[in-house]
Amino acid sequence: MQPLTAEAFVRVMDAYAQVLAEFRDVLNELDNRIGDGDHGTNMARGFSAVAEKLKASQPTTPAAGCQTVAMTLLGTVGGASGPLYSTAFLKLSAAWNGRADVDEEALRGGVAAALEGIMARGRAAVGDKTMVDVWTAVQRELQTEQPLDAQRAVEAAAAAALATKPLTARKGRAAYLGDRSQGTVDPGSLSSALWFAELFAAMSEGVVKPQWDLSAL
Ligand code: ADP
Ligand code: MG
C-alpha cells in the first residue's frame, strides 16, 4: 500500500464525485424502493461540492482535506446520510491529525474511529442493513489482514453491500418497511463500497474495482 498524500486524497474525492454522478440514478432507484428516493441526488450533490471545495482549498494534509469534506457535507447533504458521512470524515480527520500522509496503520485507526462515530451517531449495529455493514467489513479486513490486501478489502466492501439485499432494515427510513425492505441492496452501503473502491485503488496499484451487475442490486 502506498501512503495516501493530501494530493492523492483530493484525487480520490474527485474520482468519487464522478462515480456518484454516474451512480446517482442507481442509488436513487435503490432508495426509491426502500426509502424516499434521494440518496443518489444527496450524495452526488454533496460530493460534487466537496470536490470543488477541495480543489479550491488545496489541503496540505489528508486530515485537513477530511475536515473540509465533513464541513461541506453538513451544508449540502440533508437526511440521514449527510450527518453520518460528515461524522465519518470528522473522525478520519481527527485520527490523521498531524500526519503528512496516511499509511496502512493510520488507515486502520481511521476506519475504526469513523465506524465508531457512525455507530454512535446512527445507533445501528452490523446486520441492520445500513452503511455500517460495509464499514465493518472493511474494518475487519484491516484488523485481520496485515499487511492489508487492498483487492480483498475492495471485494469485502462490495460483498458486504450486496449482502444487505436479503436483510430486513432495522434503522433509517427503510426500517419503516419492515420485511418489505428485503430484496433491495441498501443504498448507503453501495455508496460506501464505491468510496472504498476509490480509496483503495489510490493506495494500491493494480486494484480492480468491482463490476456492479445493476440488475442484481
Ligand atoms: P434519508 O434516509 O434521510 O433519505 P439518504 O437516503 O441520503 O437519507 O441515506 C440513506 C442511507 O443512510 C441508508 O441507505 C443507510 O445506509 C444510511 N442510514 C440511514 N440510517 C442510518 C443509521 N441510523 N445508521 C447508519 N446508517 C444509516
Ligand atoms: Mg433517502
Side-chain angles (χ1 to χ4, degrees), residues 110-176:
V111 168
L115 172 60
E116 222 174 63
I118 293 169
M119 291 176 81
R121 178 131 205 168
R123 311 231 160 264
V126 66
D128 285 351
K129 192 174 179 125
T130 72
M131 60 174 79
V132 165
D133 292 7
V134 168
W135 284 76
T136 300
V138 173
Q139 195 221 15
R140 281 182 185 152
E141 284 297 312
L142 282 159
Q143 302 291 341
T144 55
E145 288 284 310
Q146 298 178 20
L148 181 81
D149 181 334
Q151 185 67 49
R152 262 189 62 145
V154 165
E155 283 163 19
L162 290 174
T164 62
K165 185 170 178 174
L167 300 180
T168 300
R170 284 193 291 255
K171 283 286 178 296
R173 275 177 208 283
Y176 299 134

Side-chain angles (χ1 to χ4, degrees), residues 10-26:
V10 171
R11 283 197 297 274
V12 165
M13 299 316 294
D14 195 51
Y16 184 48
Q18 286 177 41
V19 167
L20 286 172
E22 283 163 33
F23 276 77
R24 186 184 55 214
D25 294 350
V26 173

Side-chain angles (χ1 to χ4, degrees), residues 31 34 36-39 42-43 77-82 84 118 121-124 129-132 171-173 186-189:
D31 195 31
I34 58 170
D36 57 355
D38 64 354
H39 189 61
N42 281 343
M43 293 294 286
V77 186
S81 61
L84 290 166
I118 293 169
R121 178 131 205 168
R123 311 231 160 264
K129 192 174 179 125
T130 72
M131 60 174 79
V132 165
K171 283 286 178 296
R173 275 177 208 283
D186 171 56
S189 294

Side-chain angles (χ1 to χ4, degrees), residues 84-95:
L84 290 166
Y85 275 109
S86 184
T87 298
F89 281 94
L90 212 53
K91 295 289 182 184
L92 290 175
S93 176

